[in-house]
Amino acid sequence: MTITSVSSITSSITPCLWFDDQLEEAAHFYTALFPNSSIGHLSRYGEAGPGEPGTVMAGEFTLDGMAFRAINGGPMFRFTEAVSFAISCADQAEVDHYWDGLLADGGEESMCGWLKDRFGLSWQVVPTRLFELLSDPDPARAQAAQAAMLQMRRIVVADLEAAADAASGS
């Protein structure tokens, strides 16, 4: 038996998304929303099938520098909230951009900064300020920010800060 040291193993983990038949539409939707994004190779069915000739079978795209693979695998499997993609946002404008963009044309809001886009994929749209407030050294401020967040759908930074400030008497 040969033992390979961990330091000599190279690995690249790439999320692979299973769509029914919307891979190409989803790739265009996501790459238009995120900066530093592009669609790579799209493999299309030929005459041998099993899909309709010319339709996308599989593909690759990059969202804000992160590589994704995807397939049009049919309706057997659906996305669930068990897997989501978190977007760390610098400010409220960025939260609003991604929140509104991902909800466009049929997305669904959830709670605490979570949503599903029109393809059923779950996202967490979270301002970095939330993490700062949740780790505030004053436990009352951190708990007040958490309580405020638990009541929100879209995370609103000003409301988080107001709740934290009220807890500390600021």
Side-chain angles (χ1 to χ4, degrees):
M1 174 181 1
T2 304
I3 298 176
T4 306
S5 73
V6 175
S7 63
S8 68
I9 297 174
T10 57
S11 172
S12 178
I13 298 173
T14 305
C16 184
L17 304 175
W18 179 299
F19 293 92
D20 180 0
D21 62 359
Q22 319 94 325
L23 185 162
E24 187 169 19
E25 178 186 351
H28 285 286
F29 175 72
Y30 297 138
T31 57
L33 184 61
F34 290 91
N36 190 27
S37 298
S38 62
I39 297 173
H41 181 73
L42 297 176
S43 299
R44 297 184 182 274
Y45 288 108
E47 294 299 323
E52 184 178 326
T55 62
V56 172
M57 175 180 64
E60 299 170 348
F61 54 92
T62 301
L63 301 181
D64 202 10
M66 182 175 177
F68 287 80
R69 289 190 178 135
I71 60 171
N72 276 331
M76 289 79 68
F77 301 109
R78 301 274 184 221
F79 296 122
T80 74
E81 291 85 349
V83 174
S84 63
F85 293 100
I87 307 167
S88 293
C89 300
D91 54 30
Q92 190 66 48
E94 203 169 87
V95 168
D96 294 345
H97 168 76
Y98 289 116
W99 189 264
D100 294 338
L102 289 166
L103 286 174
D105 300 323
E108 179 183 325
E109 292 183 342
S110 188
M111 296 300 295
C112 307
W114 287 61
L115 62 83
K116 283 185 185 181
D117 66 28
R118 68 184 189 220
F119 305 103
L121 190 58
S122 292
W123 297 84
Q124 299 174 54
V125 183
V126 186
T128 55
R129 184 70 177 126
L130 172 64
F131 299 116
E132 294 166 0
L133 289 167
L134 294 178
S135 355
D136 194 292
D138 179 347
R141 286 179 55 82
Q143 290 175 16
Q146 180 180 12
M149 181 265 311
L150 290 171
Q151 301 303 310
M152 297 178 184
R153 290 185 179 274
R154 176 191 318 233
I155 303 296
V156 178
V157 174
D159 294 349
L160 294 173
E161 290 174 338
D165 290 347
S168 66
S170 298

